[in-house]
């Protein structure tokens, strides 16, 4: 069995379109919308292609219209891109996002999978570093062969006990210094971390056409081109501390 795992698409259809992998099952770990120019097309894709999907904090924020306050960094970009995201989504899109569970357990090929956007104890928001020490306490009591997470936009995999933890990275808004779209394949229980180049100018042109603050357009283009935020109030490595992604 060959499983395609995607997360944090963030309304970037060009990045999504670059993924061309034969697979038997597609799993999506949330944050399909916000930041990027193609929220409707990306929700359509997930609805049509993902066999199972869970809700991300951005999906939740959009469908619940959660209040946002942000003066800089990715919080600011979330606040700025929410109105065009809401305008682009139909009631059907919003119903689909609202119907996503926050966690999902399933069995594939005899293996138990737990799907969650952030962490099992805080499915939407908890930001956890990509290291074993941070994750060990968060998997206590979790009975699964694979725990699949997103949220941090950091691609990694390692084992804790008999559980394989996997974050496929972000399809549409990588933030670790490599602008390529990220995803993962699990084939017969073996994880492959994947990267693929995509038509970044297509995405930046889409952002340019959005009715948002020019400052936000420049920030987003920066992140798309470099895989991190290079200028402004960041520290140059694309990190803003324990900020939801
Ligand atoms: Fe995200």
């Amino acid at each position: 069995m060959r499983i395609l795992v995607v997360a944090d698409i963030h309304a970037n259809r060009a990045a999504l379109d670059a993924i061309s992998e034969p697979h038997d099952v597609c799993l999506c770990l949330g944050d399909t919308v916000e930041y990027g120019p193609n929220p409707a097309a990306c929700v359509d894709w997930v609805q049509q292609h993902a066999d199972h999907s869970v809700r991300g904090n951005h999906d939740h924020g959009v469908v619940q219209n959660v209040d946002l306050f942000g003066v800089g960094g990715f919080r600011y970009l979330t606040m700025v891109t929410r109105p065009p995201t809401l305008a682009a989504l139909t009631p059907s899109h919003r119903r689909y996002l609202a119907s996503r569970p926050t966690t999902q357990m399933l069995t594939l090929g005899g293996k138990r999978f737990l799907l969650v956007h952030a962490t099992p104890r805080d499915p939407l928001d908890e930001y956890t570093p990509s290291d074993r020490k941070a994750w060990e306490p968060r998997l206590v009591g979790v009975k699964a062969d694979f725990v699949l997470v997103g949220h941090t936009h950091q691609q990694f995999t390692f084992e804790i006990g008999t559980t394989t933890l996997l974050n496929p990275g972000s399809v549409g808004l990588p933030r670790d210094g490599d602008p390529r779209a990220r995803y993962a394949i699990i084939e017969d229980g073996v994880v492959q971390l994947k990267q693929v180049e995509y038509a970044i100018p297509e995405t930046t042109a889409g952002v340019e056409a959005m009715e948002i603050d020019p400052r936000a357009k420049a920030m987003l283009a920066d992140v798309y081109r470099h895989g991190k935020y290079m200028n402004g109030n960041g520290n140059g490595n694309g990190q803003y501390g324990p900020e939801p992604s």
Side-chain angles (χ1 to χ4, degrees):
M1 174 175 289
R2 189 173 166 87
I3 302 168
L4 170 63
V5 188
V6 295
D8 296 283
I9 296 166
H10 282 298
N12 187 343
R13 183 64 197 243
L16 198 50
D17 285 346
I19 298 174
S20 177
E21 293 275 357
H23 57 274
D24 303 299
V25 176
C26 175
L27 306 177
C28 177
L29 306 174
D31 271 11
T32 299
V33 297
E34 292 198 318
Y35 298 136
N38 319 115
C42 291
V43 175
D44 284 339
W45 188 96
V46 172
Q47 199 161 3
Q48 291 161 14
H49 289 86
D51 297 281
H52 303 277
S53 63
V54 292
R55 187 186 316 193
N57 56 301
H58 283 265
D59 309 321
H60 184 78
V62 164
V63 297
Q64 300 296 335
N65 206 12
V66 175
D67 282 343
L68 279 166
F69 303 95
V71 294
F74 290 98
R75 288 190 190 280
Y76 163 71
L77 291 175
T78 301
M79 186 176 68
V80 167
T81 58
R82 177 153 300 171
T85 298
L86 279 167
L89 297 178
T90 66
S92 172
H93 291 131
R94 291 198 291 272
R95 277 196 299 274
Y96 177 74
L97 293 176
S99 70
R100 296 305 85 205
T102 52
T103 63
Q104 175 141 19
M105 282 290 304
L106 57 132
T107 300
L108 296 168
K111 300 291 186 184
R112 294 164 301 171
F113 288 76
L114 172 62
L115 279 56
V116 61
H117 182 64
T119 70
R121 70 184 189 185
D122 183 353
L124 292 179
D125 290 314
E126 186 176 36
Y127 193 100
T128 306
S130 314
D131 64 68
R132 191 181 305 274
K133 188 177 177 187
W135 273 97
E136 274 177 349
R138 289 167 171 81
L139 295 190
V140 170
V142 174
K143 308 290 185 195
D145 298 299
F146 289 88
V147 174
L148 310 184
V149 301
H151 193 48
T152 65
H153 298 209
Q154 307 294 314
Q155 189 183 52
F156 67 87
T157 186
F158 51 80
E159 294 181 2
I160 294 177
T162 59
T163 299
T164 299
L165 178 66
L166 166 63
N167 186 326
S170 172
V171 172
L173 200 75
R175 296 197 334 205
D176 59 358
D178 181 340
R180 294 177 296 176
R182 311 302 173 78
Y183 61 99
I185 293 287
I186 306 174
E187 186 164 19
D188 299 330
V190 178
V191 173
Q192 303 169 44
L193 301 178
K194 297 275 195 170
Q195 310 84 32
V196 63
E197 291 186 2
Y198 74 96
I200 292 172
E202 196 174 307
T203 302
T204 54
V207 166
E208 195 55 43
M210 293 167 74
E211 292 186 4
I212 58 175
D213 186 345
R215 174 178 164 230
K217 294 180 183 182
M219 290 170 69
L220 282 165
D222 207 17
V223 178
Y224 289 128
R225 290 181 183 128
H226 301 287
K228 61 183 176 182
Y229 183 41
M230 301 288 285
N231 303 304
N233 65 350
N235 58 14
N237 66 6
Q239 300 299 304
Y240 293 88
E243 181 178 12
S245 48

